[in-house]
Amino acid sequence: MSSLLARLGPDGPGGLMLSGHVDVVPAAGQQWTVPPFQLTRRDGRLYGRGTTDMKSFVACMMALVERLDPEGLTAPLWLAISYDEEIGCVGVRPMIEDMADRGIRPDLIVVGEPTSMQLGLGHKGKMAFRVTATGVPRHSAEAPLALNALHLATDFIAGLRRLQEEIEARGPREQGYSVPYATVHVGKLVGGTAVNLVPDKAELLLECRVMAADDPLGLAARIRNVAATALAPHKVRFAEATLEVEDTGSYPGLATEADDPSVQAFADCLPDGTTECRLSFGTEGGLFAQALEVPVVVCGPGDMQQGHRPDEFIDQGQLMICDRVLLDAVDRFCRGNEEPASHVPKQMHGKL
């Protein structure tokens, strides 16, 4: 698979970049009342996997291109379309590296994840880990003479819960998030083969969601310290016991200043009543901001409450708003016009 980076207009500095991904989460195991991979129109809604997250924004990008005359642009419009975002922003990374090498730095990057067209100025970063517990096997009739790897793993989990409580009580906080502090979460635990055998292997998967104010390396070190603390009481009797913590992937958070001139210029293109927001889910926005050092916002049609669920849908009205906003943004960033060009009623415009 490959990503796509396309330019309309002159090959010069500045301009606007629109970013979206085309992969989706699976629909298997979900109870859909419509075909998940066939678009269904019903009562002003569009149903199908990815309608909200986030092919509707990509469709708006393509519709925008059809309406533009590239010869009329005075600054570039960049379209960045990536793959495998859902498994850790995989596809966009080599594209961002190439952009950095080529010196491509737009005045603003808009990541079109679903925000109900509100202005997303931040999201949390993520760290993921695989932890393998190694114990000592034995017949269950003599379980006290063995070291149960599942017990060792759950001792570690108990330590993580205490770490989460400490973070909630004394860690950095950033208002605007539904959970305004870093989170530590175990999502999977597996181990054992039969009830009459003490398991010698167990594996768990955990993740941390961190804010811009957090120290990710420091938090990772604390997690490894939790593992060492859980393991220590058993090492005297069972020298072969281990708790191995493996980093399996991460991406940075995003924190964009609302008073940045480019952010304010984009805010002028949004409808009256638009508000700022912080997003609990992650995006490639933090990667763009980190590598290119340009302002990045997250703003797109649809509500993530509908994403990843059966009967995923988006309201067609959201697409209409997005079409108008993108056309006005191109006028601001790629034509240098101060007045919107989409002929939207005045109430559709205004700063935050």
Side-chain angles (χ1 to χ4, degrees), residues 256-272:
T256 301
E257 297 295 334
D259 59 359
D260 183 281
S262 292
V263 174
Q264 284 298 307
F266 183 74
D268 281 338
C269 302
L270 295 169
D272 278 344

Side-chain angles (χ1 to χ4, degrees), residues 265 268-269 324-325 327-333 335-344 346 349-350:
D268 281 338
C269 302
R324 294 164 178 168
V325 167
L327 189 61
D328 285 354
V330 167
D331 218 44
R332 290 288 183 110
F333 288 89
R335 294 194 183 102
N337 295 333
E338 292 297 323
E339 294 301 322
S342 63
H343 306 294
V344 185
K346 185 177 180 180
H349 298 281

Side-chain angles (χ1 to χ4, degrees), residues 21-351:
H21 66 84
V22 291
D23 62 306
V24 297
V25 296
Q30 296 184 335
Q31 299 300 313
W32 286 68
T33 64
V34 296
F37 295 103
Q38 176 181 319
L39 188 66
T40 300
R41 299 175 185 267
R42 181 190 300 164
D43 300 327
R45 293 176 174 177
L46 302 177
Y47 290 84
R49 173 57 83 225
T51 49
T52 287
D53 185 19
M54 58 171 294
K55 291 187 176 181
S56 289
F57 183 77
V58 176
C60 289
M61 289 166 59
M62 297 300 99
L64 175 68
V65 170
E66 291 182 348
R67 301 177 66 178
L68 293 179
D69 175 10
E71 297 297 325
L73 303 182
T74 58
L77 171 64
W78 294 96
L79 306 178
I81 301 176
S82 62
Y83 65 94
D84 281 353
E85 186 272 350
E86 298 288 0
I87 59 173
C89 300
V90 172
V92 77
R93 294 175 191 260
M95 180 167 62
I96 291 176
E97 291 177 6
D98 180 64
M99 291 174 58
D101 290 342
R102 294 167 57 187
I104 299 173
R105 287 176 171 78
D107 292 322
L108 181 73
I109 298 176
V110 179
V111 177
E113 292 278 5
T115 65
S116 298
M117 295 305 296
Q118 304 305 303
L119 187 63
L121 297 179
H123 65 70
K124 292 184 178 182
K126 176 181 173 180
M127 299 187 297
F129 302 90
R130 176 184 294 109
V131 180
T132 303
T134 301
V136 177
R138 204 175 185 103
H139 193 285
S140 62
E142 297 181 319
L145 302 179
L147 176 59
N148 189 316
L150 282 169
H151 292 181
L152 182 57
T154 54
D155 287 347
F156 172 67
I157 292 173
L160 292 179
R161 293 181 66 183
R162 291 190 292 271
L163 174 60
Q164 179 67 85
E165 292 171 356
E166 181 181 343
I167 291 171
E168 182 176 358
R170 292 181 287 277
R173 303 177 81 87
E174 186 173 339
Q175 298 307 312
Y177 288 102
S178 55
V179 179
Y181 46 82
T183 58
V184 181
H185 159 74
V186 175
K188 185 176 181 180
L189 172 63
V190 294
T193 57
V195 72
N196 62 347
L197 178 65
V198 176
D200 65 340
K201 290 289 183 183
E203 180 181 277
L204 63 89
L205 302 179
L206 73 95
E207 69 166 30
C208 304
R209 302 280 177 157
V210 296
M211 301 174 303
D214 288 307
D215 174 12
L217 295 180
L219 181 56
R222 294 175 74 181
I223 289 171
R224 288 185 166 85
N225 185 62
V226 170
T229 300
L231 179 64
H234 305 287
K235 290 295 286 186
V236 174
R237 289 182 61 199
F238 306 104
E240 60 268 58
T242 61
L243 264 173
E244 298 178 355
V245 181
E246 175 191 0
D247 184 345
T248 59
S250 65
Y251 56 75
L254 174 69
T256 301
E257 297 295 334
D259 59 359
D260 183 281
S262 292
V263 174
Q264 284 298 307
F266 183 74
D268 281 338
C269 302
L270 295 169
D272 278 344
T274 300
T275 59
E276 300 173 6
C277 62
R278 304 295 188 278
L279 309 171
S280 297
F281 58 87
T283 80
E284 66 264 34
L287 290 167
F288 277 116
Q290 183 181 76
L292 304 182
E293 298 182 339
V294 299
V296 180
V297 298
V298 183
C299 184
D303 188 334
M304 189 55 91
Q305 292 297 319
Q306 309 303 330
H308 296 205
R309 296 188 178 188
D311 288 353
E312 181 179 349
F313 71 85
I314 192 167
D315 287 313
Q316 289 182 263
Q318 284 279 295
L319 301 185
M320 294 174 62
I321 296 173
C322 185
D323 284 342
R324 294 164 178 168
V325 167
L326 294 186
L327 189 61
D328 285 354
V330 167
D331 218 44
R332 290 288 183 110
F333 288 89
C334 304
R335 294 194 183 102
N337 295 333
E338 292 297 323
E339 294 301 322
S342 63
H343 306 294
V344 185
K346 185 177 180 180
Q347 63 267 24
M348 288 296 297
H349 298 281
K351 289 187 177 180

